[in-house]
């Protein structure tokens, strides 16, 4: 079990890098006019956010990378986790760059994103399937340590888990401090579980994610001075997916990451419901916008989702003790 003191030092290092680089990087984004374009069909209160610098996820990725590498715990698990974070973050960066700099509103086409995401997911899954001690056996929550061996089906199942998780975190990034705050809470859960199960390098990376999210909230909490963009949301999705897969506890994501799950599910329900009935189930999806349109202030939605993540994280942790 990795020491609490070391985890705190890693988190503080990521926090420091994020806090220090933010004031240098955000004005540069503003000078380069890397501003967010807000949807006209969204909540009217969001129109004031037009022009807010985006692609700030680079700040978090820098904090995570520096803190993790300085920890002295570099091994293949840490390499794979960082590859997942940087790789998915790079896909998001390219998407942001096309939308913000090249002024092509759609960014990468859906199939282009999916090709990149599936390729990265396959790299991680084949590593885990062939190298990890647990192989194709995944932990089943609340079953007294029982592991289900999926055999060859582990590969397609886990690839889908990774891609779904990354895109779910991306959908969650729609309000000031929402994705960064929810992921901060979830990273504490993964840090605790990784430490408990003896995955030292995974615990280190998760502690770095916690510190980077905490530092980023200094600039991203309402009213946000910078948005993380797809660069940040996909990088955080890559971090969550990597932590779960490297410990073969991917079935815990719908519990610990229940907010991510709810955001994705609301979009699916909205699309399917509209196609079948011609009517919208929610005022707007993802579901955080629905709560805004029924009268909740943005900060209330974010606070409630943070608290829900905390409760879900505690519930998920009970599956391991």
């Amino acid at each position: 079990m990795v020491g609490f003191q070391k985890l705190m030092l890693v988190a503080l290092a990521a926090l420091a890098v994020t806090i220090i680089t933010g004031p240098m990087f955000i004005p540069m984004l503003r000078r380069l006019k890397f501003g967010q374009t807000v949807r006209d069909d969204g909540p009217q209160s969001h129109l004031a956010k037009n022009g807010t610098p985006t692609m700030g996820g680079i700040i978090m990725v820098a904090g995570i990378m520096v803190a993790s590498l300085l920890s002295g715990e570099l091994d293949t698990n840490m390499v794979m986790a960082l590859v997942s974070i940087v790789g998915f973050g790079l896909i998001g960066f390219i998407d942001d760059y096309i939308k913000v700099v090249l002024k092509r509103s759609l960014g990468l086409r859906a199939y282009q994103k999916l090709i990149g995401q599936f390729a990265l997911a396959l790299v991680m899954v084949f590593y885990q399937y062939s190298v990890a001690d647990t192989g194709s056996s995944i932990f089943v929550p609340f079953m007294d340590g029982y592991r289900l061996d999926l055999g060859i089906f582990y590969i397609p199942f886990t690839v889908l888990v990774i891609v779904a998780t990354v895109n779910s975190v991306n959908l969650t990034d729609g309000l000031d401090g929402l994705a960064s705050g929810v992921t901060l809470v979830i990273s504490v859960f993964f840090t605790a579980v990784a430490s408990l199960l003896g995955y030292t390098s995974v615990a280190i990376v998760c502690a770095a994610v916690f510190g980077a999210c905490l530092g980023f909230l200094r600039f991203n909490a309402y009213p946000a001075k910078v948005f993380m963009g797809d660069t940040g949301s996909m990088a955080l999705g890559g971090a969550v997916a990597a932590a779960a897969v490297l410990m073969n506890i991917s079935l815990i994501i719908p519990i610990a990451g229940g907010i991510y799950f709810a955001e994705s599910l609301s979009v699916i329900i909205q699309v399917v419901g509209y196609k079948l009935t011609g009517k919208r189930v929610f005022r707007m999806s993802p579901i955080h916008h629905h709560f805004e349109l029924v009268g909740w202030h943005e900060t209330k939605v974010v606070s409630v989702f943070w608290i829900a993540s905390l409760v879900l994280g505690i519930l998920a942790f009970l599956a391991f003790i």
Side-chain angles (χ1 to χ4, degrees):
M1 180 182 291
V2 61
F4 177 75
Q5 184 177 10
K6 184 158 194 173
L7 292 174
M8 285 301 299
L9 287 173
V10 169
L12 287 171
L15 171 67
V17 171
T18 308
I19 290 288
I20 291 169
T21 57
M24 296 184 289
F25 191 68
I26 295 170
M28 183 177 72
L29 292 173
R30 192 173 290 112
R31 285 195 301 272
L32 293 171
K33 301 187 185 301
F34 286 7
Q36 179 78 28
T37 300
V38 177
R39 292 169 53 180
D40 293 333
D41 60 343
Q44 294 302 297
S45 60
H46 286 213
L47 294 178
K49 300 173 187 278
N50 263 316
T52 301
T54 188
M55 300 168 72
I58 296 172
I59 303 169
M60 288 190 293
V61 173
I64 295 167
M65 290 288 292
V66 171
S68 297
L69 294 174
L70 288 178
S71 70
E73 298 289 349
L74 184 65
D75 63 7
T76 52
N77 273 351
M78 181 179 288
V79 170
M80 292 307 299
L82 295 179
V83 165
S84 179
I85 293 167
V86 174
F88 283 110
L90 181 60
I91 295 172
F93 175 83
I94 294 170
D95 190 42
D96 284 335
Y97 187 86
I98 292 171
K99 287 186 288 189
V100 176
V101 180
L102 301 184
K103 307 300 182 185
R104 284 164 44 189
S105 59
L106 294 178
L108 285 172
R109 298 184 185 279
Y111 78 88
Q112 293 172 323
K113 284 186 191 177
L114 287 173
I115 289 173
Q117 290 172 353
F118 272 98
L120 269 172
L122 278 169
V123 169
M124 175 166 292
V125 170
F126 276 114
Y127 161 79
Q128 188 69 4
Y129 183 71
S130 60
V131 174
D133 293 336
T134 49
S136 57
S137 299
I138 59 172
F139 174 81
V140 180
F142 304 106
M143 292 290 287
D144 196 25
Y146 175 74
R147 287 186 173 270
L148 175 66
D149 192 344
L150 297 178
I152 194 66
F153 294 105
Y154 173 86
I155 294 173
F157 171 79
T158 309
V159 166
L160 289 174
V161 166
I162 293 172
V163 173
T165 300
V166 170
N167 286 299
S168 295
V169 178
N170 183 236
L171 288 172
T172 304
D173 181 36
L175 301 179
D176 295 357
L178 180 56
S180 48
V182 168
T183 306
L184 179 151
V185 174
I186 292 170
S187 65
V188 173
F189 160 75
F190 277 115
T191 301
V193 172
S195 178
L196 180 68
L197 299 181
Y199 290 91
T200 299
S201 59
V202 177
I204 291 291
V205 174
C206 292
V209 172
F210 166 77
C213 286
L214 184 61
F216 190 68
L217 277 171
R218 167 69 179 79
F219 314 108
N220 185 235
Y222 181 87
K225 299 179 181 67
V226 67
F227 299 141
M228 67 175 68
D230 286 358
T231 306
S233 60
M234 288 195 182
L236 292 182
V240 172
V245 170
L246 290 170
M247 293 186 283
N248 271 2
I249 58 170
S250 53
L251 289 180
I252 207 72
I253 293 177
I255 303 174
I259 293 298
Y260 302 147
F261 185 75
E263 296 277 21
S264 287
L265 188 60
S266 69
V267 173
I268 294 169
I269 291 172
Q270 187 84 322
V271 171
V272 173
Y274 188 77
K275 285 184 178 297
L276 292 177
T277 67
K279 297 180 180 179
R280 291 180 173 83
V281 178
F282 304 106
R283 295 280 187 90
M284 186 178 178
S285 66
I287 199 167
H288 55 258
H289 288 317
H290 169 80
F291 286 113
E292 279 191 287
L293 292 175
V294 298
W296 288 23
H297 190 274
E298 181 172 347
T299 54
K300 179 179 179 180
V301 179
V302 171
S303 298
V304 170
F305 280 34
W306 285 4
I307 293 169
S309 289
L310 178 60
V311 173
L312 289 168
I314 294 170
L315 176 64
F317 188 71
L318 293 177
F320 296 90
I321 57 175

